[in-house]
Amino acid sequence: MTGSFIHPALIMIAGALLLPFIRGPFRKPYLCLIPILAFCDVLYLNQFPGTYGVVTFMDRWTLTFGRIDNLSTIFAFIMALMAIIGTIYGLHVEDEWQHIAAWFYVAGSLGVIYSGDYLVLFLFWEMMAFASTFLIWFNSDKDALAAGYRYLLVHTFGGVMLLFGFVLRYQATGDLGFSLLDEHNTQLYTWLIMIGLMLNAAVPPLHSWLPDAYSKASITGAVFMCAFTTKTAIYTLARAFAGFDILIVLGVVMTIYGIIYAILENDIRRLLGWEIVSQVGYMVAGVGIGTALAINGTCAHAFAHILYKGLLFMGAGAIIHCTGQSKLTELGGLYRKMPLTLLFMVVGGVSVSAFPFFSGFVSKSMIITASFESHLYWAAFLLTAVSAGTFLVAGLRLPYLIFFGESRCTSATLEKAADPVWNMRLAMWIASFFCLLIGSYTPFLYSMLPHTDVAFHPYTIPHMAETLQILAFTALAFYFLKGRLAARATISLDLDWFYRLAGRGFLWVAEKPLQWLDTAWGAAYRVVGLVSLMTIARFSAWFDWNGIDGVVDGTARFVQGLGGRISLFLQKGQIQMTLYYAITFVALFLAAYVWL
């Protein structure tokens, strides 16, 4: 097996580099072929747990590119599967650079998942950050450029924190291995590494980049971004910080914080972005609980979340692609124009809302049950309550405002509205199928979980009754409160207000005090430094001309004159005299030498 190890990230990178040379009718088959090959490679590698791709770097560090175990296999599987779905969804995109950026992004995620040390992790971590930035910049939206720069700045900061953390850890321990850290022996590097990883997971207060970036990315780019960045971060947290109690608190805060802002949001993709913050909170809390069932629930929920959130983003992208509108205040009444898109978004909505027989019902229940088993009742009850808010937002409010209710569409929007092209529908169909498969046939998912010996049975009468009651009361509340939950063109202030305030403060300092100091220094330099320098330069020139050049030129003129006089005296034009003077000079020299 060791000799036949081919990293799936290498397949994606090579495919991306060759893509510009594939033209004509071969382009779309090639686009499908590369992620399918990477997926097949993942399936093959998952059959052979172990450590592969070990390289010695600079005769000092051992780099591990292929650590295959029960945690990496499930994440690699779903990432490779989502690469296929996302690529199919974007087959109609003619811009090859979008596909190249997306594939490098996927390669970065797979590289992180299989990495066995922090150097390899950091290499692929930064690949993810830079590749995904281009998925934002490829959008034609006027704010995409600024959102991309902000995204890159924030993730560069996270990368620096991660770099500082593992360098300090290496100095302290001499170990670069990417493994579980000790909660009872935390050091500065522990928290730096955690901050670097939590930023990609969008843990508050490091979360504001997510709804901003995902709403400004290209339609296809947003589908990839909603699946890879935060879930790759969840993998790293599960690998390094399982059982850290602080993550329980942060995870529960995430679920509440995200769902509140999702209720207030008007933009479709920003709403779904806030939903990601909320749902990733379940995973962060599961990592913090750290029991076998909680880690299983985290992995299962990440698996399910990639599919149903990808499905919702694909539905949102189809609406934006076909209508040109992304605001809820500019949509409504589209159920006749886009019936298939409605169906797919309903599947995604009921999946994230934990409806029985859909994916979220199984995965979310694991984390909540693990909370109860660990006697974390406050966390369990809050996570259960947030699930009602999730159904309210994604299962009811979102499809209602887009497809039903009062139509706020212009005539031009209604005229353009239609179900998307075949490849977008196919991708949504595949994601919908897996959402139903995971929820209905649990052995498919359970066989890939890290702790296969842990039994969990979601389809019990008490659990079903509890879930249906929560869903029914939520639907009843929506019926009576739907007027208050109508779309409104508002701006909701978030913690990024403080970031922007700090940015304005920095800009003021740069423009006022620092600029004044720079101007004053320039004036002082011109008055004092430059005048003094020019005076010294003029003196140096005078001394060079009159002193050094005078002595050198005077000596040269003296030697030249003396030589001329001697030549007039000695060189008479007669060879006899020349020989006489020469022999005489030699004789005198020899006599002086002998006598002395």
Side-chain angles (χ1 to χ4, degrees), residues 400-423:
Y400 177 80
L401 294 178
I402 295 175
F403 298 100
F404 304 102
E406 178 186 356
S407 177
R408 298 164 297 279
C409 301
T410 64
S411 57
T413 300
L414 284 174
E415 184 178 352
K416 291 189 297 182
D419 279 319
V421 294
W422 68 270
N423 59 288

Side-chain angles (χ1 to χ4, degrees), residues 160 285 434:
V160 171
F434 279 102

Side-chain angles (χ1 to χ4, degrees), residues 516-552:
W516 179 87
L517 182 62
D518 181 70
T519 303
W521 175 259
Y525 175 77
R526 286 193 298 272
V527 173
V528 179
L530 195 59
V531 170
S532 302
L533 184 63
M534 292 302 296
T535 301
I536 294 173
R538 285 193 294 269
F539 173 78
S540 299
W542 176 87
F543 180 77
D544 178 68
W545 178 261
N546 295 280
I548 298 175
D549 288 354
V551 172
V552 174

Side-chain angles (χ1 to χ4, degrees), residues 161-466:
M161 291 297 102
L162 177 62
L163 178 63
F164 283 166
F166 74 72
V167 168
L168 290 177
R169 180 173 181 265
Y170 177 74
Q171 289 180 337
T173 65
D175 181 22
L176 279 175
F178 178 39
S179 57
L180 182 65
L181 299 177
D182 186 3
E183 184 186 14
H184 304 291
N185 185 27
T186 58
Q187 305 293 332
L188 175 61
Y189 62 76
T190 306
W191 305 115
L192 289 175
I193 294 173
M194 180 182 285
I195 289 171
L197 300 181
M198 286 197 308
L199 188 143
N200 270 29
V203 177
L206 308 172
H207 67 286
S208 298
W209 59 268
L210 192 151
D212 183 45
Y214 288 13
S215 63
K216 300 302 180 185
S218 66
I219 292 175
T220 304
V223 172
F224 279 92
M225 294 181 72
C226 78
F228 289 92
T229 298
T230 51
K231 266 62 71 182
T232 304
I234 289 298
Y235 165 81
T236 59
L237 288 173
R239 176 72 71 181
F241 294 99
F244 276 63
D245 290 339
I246 189 175
L247 295 179
I248 303 174
V249 178
L250 292 173
V252 174
V253 169
M254 284 182 72
T255 60
I256 301 171
Y257 195 89
I259 205 64
I260 290 174
Y261 274 88
I263 293 174
L264 301 174
E265 189 54 61
N266 182 42
D267 184 273
I268 302 175
R269 293 197 296 179
R270 283 186 65 89
L271 183 153
L272 294 175
W274 284 115
E275 264 283 300
I276 290 177
V277 174
S278 179
Q279 293 301 302
V280 172
Y282 283 89
M283 305 172 211
V284 173
V287 172
I289 296 169
T291 62
L293 180 59
I295 295 300
N296 272 5
T298 298
C299 296
H301 202 49
F303 193 104
H305 184 269
I306 287 174
L307 292 168
Y308 64 62
K309 191 58 66 174
L311 177 58
L312 288 170
F313 263 90
M314 285 188 283
I319 293 167
I320 297 171
H321 177 74
C322 296
T323 66
Q325 304 296 335
S326 64
K327 305 291 186 182
L328 295 174
T329 50
E330 299 168 348
L331 296 168
L334 296 178
Y335 70 97
R336 288 193 181 92
K337 305 287 289 186
M338 307 180 72
L340 289 178
T341 305
L342 166 61
L343 174 63
F344 293 134
M345 292 200 71
V346 167
V347 172
V350 297
S351 296
V352 69
S353 303
F355 258 72
F357 305 107
F358 289 88
S359 55
F361 177 76
V362 176
S363 60
K364 195 179 296 184
S365 301
M366 288 187 189
I367 299 174
I368 295 175
T369 302
S371 301
F372 279 113
E373 290 183 354
S374 300
H375 306 291
L376 297 168
Y377 300 115
W378 65 272
F381 283 119
L382 287 175
L383 293 177
T384 302
V386 170
S387 66
T390 303
F391 178 47
L392 181 69
V393 173
L396 296 172
R397 181 176 183 263
L398 182 64
Y400 177 80
L401 294 178
I402 295 175
F403 298 100
F404 304 102
E406 178 186 356
S407 177
R408 298 164 297 279
C409 301
T410 64
S411 57
T413 300
L414 284 174
E415 184 178 352
K416 291 189 297 182
D419 279 319
V421 294
W422 68 270
N423 59 288
M424 299 173 78
R425 297 197 303 269
L426 176 60
M428 289 189 283
W429 184 90
I430 296 173
S432 299
F433 169 76
F434 279 102
C435 287
L436 185 60
L437 175 65
I438 293 171
S440 302
Y441 182 66
T442 56
F444 172 76
L445 178 63
Y446 286 3
S447 63
M448 292 184 283
L449 295 178
H451 303 282
T452 54
D453 56 328
V454 176
F456 178 72
H457 305 287
Y459 290 103
T460 61
I461 298 299
H463 185 214
M464 292 278 288
E466 174 194 352

Side-chain angles (χ1 to χ4, degrees), residues 56-238:
T56 301
F57 180 63
M58 297 181 65
D59 296 325
R60 186 172 182 179
W61 298 293
T62 300
L63 309 183
T64 303
F65 288 86
R67 176 175 54 188
I68 304 170
D69 59 15
N70 54 0
L71 183 60
S72 61
T73 52
I74 183 172
F75 278 90
F77 180 96
I78 187 56
M79 297 303 183
L81 177 62
M82 191 60 203
I84 298 175
I85 297 173
T87 302
I88 292 174
Y89 184 80
L91 282 178
H92 63 283
V93 177
E94 297 295 334
D95 183 9
E96 62 193 19
W97 295 106
Q98 290 198 42
H99 298 290
I100 292 173
W103 284 359
F104 268 94
Y105 183 35
V106 175
S109 176
L110 291 171
V112 169
I113 290 168
Y114 281 131
S115 64
D117 60 86
Y118 280 105
L119 281 178
V120 176
L121 169 68
F122 184 74
L123 169 67
F124 287 106
W125 195 260
E126 293 304 295
M127 182 187 294
M128 287 180 61
F130 282 92
S132 54
T133 301
F134 286 95
L135 295 178
I136 304 172
W137 284 340
F138 285 136
N139 191 10
S140 58
D141 190 284
K142 60 182 179 63
D143 297 324
L145 184 62
Y149 276 120
R150 182 189 183 198
Y151 175 88
L152 182 61
L153 180 65
V154 170
H155 283 268
T156 301
F157 170 77
V160 171
M161 291 297 102
L162 177 62
L163 178 63
F164 283 166
F166 74 72
V167 168
L168 290 177
R169 180 173 181 265
Y170 177 74
Q171 289 180 337
T173 65
D175 181 22
L176 279 175
F178 178 39
S179 57
L180 182 65
L181 299 177
D182 186 3
E183 184 186 14
H184 304 291
N185 185 27
T186 58
Q187 305 293 332
L188 175 61
Y189 62 76
T190 306
W191 305 115
L192 289 175
I193 294 173
M194 180 182 285
I195 289 171
L197 300 181
M198 286 197 308
L199 188 143
N200 270 29
V203 177
L206 308 172
H207 67 286
S208 298
W209 59 268
L210 192 151
D212 183 45
Y214 288 13
S215 63
K216 300 302 180 185
S218 66
I219 292 175
T220 304
V223 172
F224 279 92
M225 294 181 72
C226 78
F228 289 92
T229 298
T230 51
K231 266 62 71 182
T232 304
I234 289 298
Y235 165 81
T236 59
L237 288 173

